[in-house]
């Protein structure tokens, strides 16, 4: 775990706001104490907020991080993370690094985190940010998440944090047997949160949960 008491820019006031945010998320139905604790540990205000929104970093909202992209709403991060059932030591692939906040939450749960971003400027910023915050073991990649990371497969868990038109078959094939992929899936403005469990080569268990609104998962790299 990263020791945030040593991070410049985090203060007792932020810690208080964070606790309030976490209690709000708990009231909205998140029950996994490990997820709530991870959210209590990560200083969200240090993850790429534009100055106009910095004061609002602990509201339960998505906010712009540049390039038309957003840092996900805390409730959404908690919801996806809870569905993913991450255990310590799991090898986890995230598609859509964005601000790096979700990657930090996965890291706090003890995961070995690999994360891919398709926009070069965001990738460069997040790589520097995670190092500065002490997340030296999160491995950032600039690339197209539709391809996954075949060289590092198989993964115990895969998390897509952008709206996928349908579940990418290439990613399902990078799961270990028993592995889980969570993704918001849908072509319209709302997506259904779905969970896929790779039971065996001939069986993928599929479950559907609530609807969410994500920025789209787009093919190819930018920049
Ligand atoms: N997990 C992020 C959420 C970022 S929003 C966070 O915690 O802040 C979704 C991100 O997915 C955007 O940065 C977007 O550029 C990226 N993205 C969209 N399509 C992608 C793809 N095919 N491969 C990799 N990243 C993608």
């Amino acid at each position: 775990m990263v020791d945030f008491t040593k991070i410049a820019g985090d203060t007792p006031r932020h810690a208080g706001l964070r606790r309030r945010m976490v209690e709000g998320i708990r009231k909205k139905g998140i029950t996994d104490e490990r997820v709530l604790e991870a959210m209590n540990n990560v200083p969200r205000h240090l993850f790429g907020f534009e100055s106009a929104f910095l004061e609002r970093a602990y509201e339960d909202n998505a906010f712009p991080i540049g390039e038309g992209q957003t840092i996900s709403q805390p409730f959404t991060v908690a919801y996806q993370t809870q569905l993913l059932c991450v255990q310590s030591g799991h090898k986890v692939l995230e598609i859509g690094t964005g601000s790096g906040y979700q990657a930090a939450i996965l890291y706090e749960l003890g995961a070995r985190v690999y994360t891919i971003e398709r926009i070069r400027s965001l990738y460069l910023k997040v790589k520097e940010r995670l190092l500065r915050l002490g997340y030296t073991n999160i491995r950032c990649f600039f690339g197209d998440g539709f391809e996954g990371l075949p060289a590092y497969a198989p993964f115990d868990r895969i998390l897509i944090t952008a709206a996928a038109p349908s579940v990418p078959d290439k990613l399902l094939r990078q799961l270990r047997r028993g592995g889980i992929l969570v993704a918001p899936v849908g072509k319209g403005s709302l997506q259904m949160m779905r969970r896929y469990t790779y039971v065996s080569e001939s069986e993928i268990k599929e479950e559907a949960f609530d609807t969410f609104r994500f920025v789209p998962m787009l093919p190819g790299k930018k920049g």
Side-chain angles (χ1 to χ4, degrees), residues 7-41:
I7 289 181
D10 197 24
T11 66
R13 185 177 74 86
H14 291 113
L17 291 170
R18 209 146 54 230
R19 272 196 297 279
R20 279 236 304 271
M21 178 191 84
V22 169
E23 287 320 306
I25 291 170
R26 189 197 296 279
K27 285 206 186 84
K28 289 180 183 169
I30 302 299
T31 53
D32 187 327
E33 288 300 328
R34 290 175 61 240
V35 172
L36 293 168
E37 194 192 327
M39 308 257 326
N40 203 28
N41 286 341

Side-chain angles (χ1 to χ4, degrees), residues 69-70 94 96-99 102 117-119 144-145 161 217-218:
Q69 305 304 317
T70 52
E94 180 198 21
T97 319
S99 68
Q102 171 75 72
E117 173 55 54
R118 69 176 286 275
I119 300 179
D144 179 0
T161 68
M217 182 174 178
L218 299 171

